[in-house]
Amino acid sequence: MRAVVAGPHPLEEDETALDGRSAHFTVALAADGPCIAQARHKAATFLGHAQAEHDLPVSQRATDLTQLVVSELVTNARKYAPGPILMTLRVTGETVEVSVWDSDPVLPVARAADAGRVGQHGLEIVMAVAQSFEARREPVGKRISVGVALLDAPGLGSAAA
């Protein structure tokens, strides 16, 4: 990893790597400043790079949903855990996996749907758009991993060219 230490930019960054049909990218974000916007931008850039440079099919909907998932997961990490946030994006087959690590060992709990509740719908939203969801404790903190389909389901449009 190469260190990047300049203002609100990520602390560490791993170059996008391609191994067969698997591309991955890892970035450590400071838990203050514009880390949520940075994470969303990094996710869109990563998927654009995977599509343009490595000819991986990525629909616009997949990019939008990935940015939504990143935004929700990084927001929760920033809100509930002190310290840095580690985000990994990995494309394997027809899915992009968004993985966010933070220092708080408490696993999130999805609340029952309640249209009258203001806020705290992020995990509900993430689980509604996810192909897969996993929350697990790590030796320090926890990691939330969410899979998002790269291609649209039939009837939802086609992959971007």
Side-chain angles (χ1 to χ4, degrees):
M1 289 189 172
R2 63 186 161 104
V4 179
V5 190
H9 297 289
L11 302 174
E12 294 180 356
E13 201 168 293
D14 184 14
E15 293 294 323
T16 300
L18 185 69
D19 178 17
R21 295 285 290 174
S22 175
H24 70 275
F25 173 81
T26 299
V27 62
L29 303 159
D32 58 2
C35 72
I36 299 162
Q38 288 174 347
R40 288 174 58 85
H41 175 74
K42 293 284 186 187
T45 299
F46 169 76
L47 289 175
H49 179 76
Q51 184 178 28
E53 301 295 322
H54 304 295
D55 200 31
L56 293 174
V58 180
S59 71
Q60 182 60 51
R61 183 173 187 271
T63 299
D64 295 343
L65 290 178
T66 300
Q67 286 185 292
L68 173 65
V69 166
V70 162
S71 182
E72 294 297 338
L73 296 182
V74 172
T75 296
N76 285 347
R78 182 177 176 182
K79 183 175 180 179
Y80 297 110
I85 300 161
L86 186 64
M87 179 179 75
T88 300
L89 302 169
R90 181 177 312 276
V91 173
T92 305
E94 298 175 354
T95 304
V96 58
E97 179 184 272
V98 177
S99 178
V100 173
W101 173 89
D102 66 52
S103 63
D104 184 5
V106 177
L107 297 177
V109 177
R111 299 176 73 182
D114 179 358
R117 183 175 69 238
V118 177
Q120 299 186 346
H121 292 279
L123 194 54
E124 287 175 60
I125 294 167
V126 167
M127 293 177 87
V129 302
Q131 294 283 99
S132 63
F133 177 88
E134 179 184 26
R136 69 179 182 274
R137 285 190 182 92
E138 302 238 326
V140 175
K142 68 177 170 296
R143 181 173 309 275
I144 310 299
S145 299
V146 176
V148 177
L150 290 173
L151 297 174
D152 297 337
L156 293 177
S158 61

